[in-house]
Amino acid sequence: MDASFTAEQDEIRRTLRELLQKRCGSQELRAAVDSPAGHDPALWTALAQQLGLPGLALPEAYGGVGCSVTELALAAEETGRFLAPSPLLATAVLAAPLVLALGTEPQRARLLPRIAAGSLTAALAVPGTALTTALTLTGPNGGEWAGGGRAGGVQARQVGDSGWRLYGQVAQVLDGHSAELLLVAAHAGGFARSRTLLFLVAGDAEGLVRVRQTSLDATRPQARLELRDVEAELLGADDSPRVLRELSATGDTVAAVLAAEAVGAADRALERTVQYVKQREQFGRAIGSFQAVKHRLADVYVQVQAAKSAAYYAAWATGQGERVGGLALAQALEALRIAAAEGIQLHGGIGFTWEHDAHLYFKRAAGDELLFGPVHRLRAYAAEGAHLFENREVTV
């Protein structure tokens, strides 16, 4: 592995950081999360048209840039630094890879160029709180999470030769209230031919009710979807084993990108804290000069740097067929939680106020663990997959 970045990768980071510094300050961020969309459409247009961010990891044949997951992770690191609310995670990281992997050629040609151009936003709807299980990050992906019978979830019923209707409810869908295209995981076939399939649902489909939920982290808007006999289009062919396999493969990429995003947020939280302790004085001197404060911040720095290395490696490893995204995500989420908590503590009373941005990083840390963790489950499943705790006979 070459640990150095290319000139193109450094340029992506530099250009994106300059844009976000101008367009995603504290006031712009708060205005965006309070808007009906939950993000700034003008900023999203700039990210798409000026930088090609939604299509960064999509093939050039479908209007994308043709980069690897590494470039997408580096971009996510920069958006994480500013907690930039945008449909990037839901559209480019969760939904687009599934369309690319499972969609028929007409579906890819119809949807992917629009996603790459930023004119079509998408969201992945997985029933209940089973997103990490569906992505094989905290448990095996057997398809039970999609529901079935009395288990709830979303039920799919075939009408005629090719039509489908969906009925059910999905909560905690990232950007589900504003996405123009929904990828809904549903259970089909009853007991005899039980299987999990993915369906395309238009955001304005008849019978679809979308309600934005109040979430702990306002920079990650979530929605509850109610599907009342909604018309849907099957994504790809009727091949449930492949659906589960591609969800699992996508999960490692999602984890690597999320790890990079969390590292960006942790790095920025630490940076802001260091700046503050150099200015705040106590007993006639800056509190950053106290040895106890230095030690605390040094510990945070080590955590962030270790998580950064793990995130970069995970992004690179996705192209090598190595699944380490879950472990990198666990380390990054832990680093973000520690950096955000120390930031709150060292900012003193001001860190707890709504007017200060320190609490936004703390909420991002807590919200991400609720959505994509918790950390101990990410690590436990990775350890189980590596057979670390199996009893093995040792011969002498």
Side-chain angles (χ1 to χ4, degrees):
M1 174 187 175
D2 184 0
S4 61
F5 294 114
T6 65
E8 291 78 9
Q9 290 169 340
D10 286 333
E11 183 65 16
I12 290 173
R13 302 176 71 177
R14 184 191 64 80
T15 306
L16 181 55
R17 184 175 298 189
E18 288 179 356
L19 176 63
L20 291 175
Q21 283 176 338
K22 296 177 182 178
R23 303 286 296 271
C24 197
S26 179
Q27 293 183 350
E28 291 84 358
L29 170 62
R30 293 169 186 272
V33 298
D34 289 337
S35 67
H39 66 271
D40 182 3
L43 175 61
W44 175 244
T45 300
L47 294 175
Q49 295 183 357
Q50 296 181 25
L51 303 178
L53 224 56
L56 200 59
L58 288 176
E60 295 181 19
Y62 298 108
V65 181
C67 292
S68 66
V69 175
T70 301
E71 284 77 14
L72 186 59
L74 292 176
E77 182 183 358
E78 294 305 316
T79 60
R81 286 181 61 85
F82 296 89
L83 302 181
S86 77
L88 180 66
L89 175 62
T91 300
V93 183
L94 286 167
L98 292 171
V99 176
L100 178 63
L102 294 170
T104 63
E105 186 55 36
Q107 288 173 335
R108 294 175 186 172
R110 185 177 84 244
L111 300 174
L112 291 179
R114 296 169 60 199
I115 289 177
S119 59
L120 178 67
T121 56
L124 175 63
V126 172
T129 57
L131 179 60
T132 53
T133 302
L135 298 175
T136 325
L137 295 177
T138 57
N141 183 356
E144 298 85 358
W145 46 267
R150 296 182 179 180
V154 179
Q155 309 301 314
R157 176 173 56 90
Q158 192 166 10
V159 180
D161 295 332
S162 59
W164 291 86
R165 312 290 293 191
L166 303 183
Y167 188 90
Q169 180 173 297
V170 191
Q172 293 182 300
V173 180
L174 290 174
D175 291 306
H177 66 294
S178 61
E180 297 156 310
L181 175 69
L182 300 171
L183 272 67
V184 182
H187 175 269
F191 181 79
R193 294 187 62 238
S194 177
R195 60 201 189 279
T196 301
L197 303 174
L198 281 175
F199 295 89
L200 302 172
V201 176
D204 57 355
E206 185 177 355
L208 174 65
V209 178
R210 306 195 287 180
V211 180
R212 182 175 177 179
Q213 296 175 301
T214 301
S215 56
L216 175 64
D217 178 13
T219 64
R220 286 212 195 280
Q222 302 173 34
R224 184 182 74 251
L225 310 182
E226 296 178 8
L227 299 104
R228 304 170 182 175
D229 198 28
V230 174
E231 182 180 1
E233 176 187 354
L234 180 66
L235 178 63
D238 187 355
D239 186 356
S240 64
R242 188 170 173 231
V243 168
L244 299 180
R245 185 169 63 248
E246 293 300 338
L247 277 168
S248 178
T250 301
D252 195 58
T253 299
V254 171
V257 174
L258 280 169
E261 186 187 61
V263 161
D267 196 26
R268 179 57 177 157
L270 173 60
E271 182 182 296
R272 294 177 65 122
T273 304
V274 171
Q275 291 173 350
Y276 181 73
V277 299
K278 289 180 178 179
Q279 299 171 359
R280 180 186 172 192
E281 292 188 357
Q282 197 172 51
F283 305 114
R285 55 190 287 198
I287 64 171
S289 64
F290 298 152
Q291 191 174 40
V293 174
K294 290 180 180 180
H295 285 175
R296 291 174 68 171
L297 291 176
D299 289 341
V300 176
Y301 177 79
V302 171
Q303 287 274 358
V304 173
Q305 292 303 312
K308 185 177 294 189
S309 297
Y312 290 165
Y313 181 82
W316 172 83
T318 55
Q320 313 303 314
E322 185 180 358
R323 290 185 63 94
V324 292
L327 277 176
L329 179 58
Q331 192 160 357
L333 290 179
E334 186 174 51
L336 176 55
R337 171 164 41 86
I338 293 172
E342 289 290 351
I344 292 282
Q345 289 291 319
L346 292 175
H347 272 84
I350 192 175
F352 288 88
T353 63
W354 288 104
E355 290 77 17
H356 202 276
D357 290 344
H359 74 92
L360 295 176
Y361 288 88
F362 188 81
K363 288 180 178 179
R364 169 60 68 90
D368 274 7
E369 260 204 89
L370 290 172
L371 277 172
F372 307 111
V375 167
H376 70 273
R377 288 189 179 178
L378 289 166
R379 286 181 172 148
Y381 187 65
E384 181 183 335
H387 309 289
L388 291 183
F389 302 115
E390 290 185 357
N391 292 325
R392 299 180 181 179
E393 295 184 0
V394 179
T395 58
V396 180

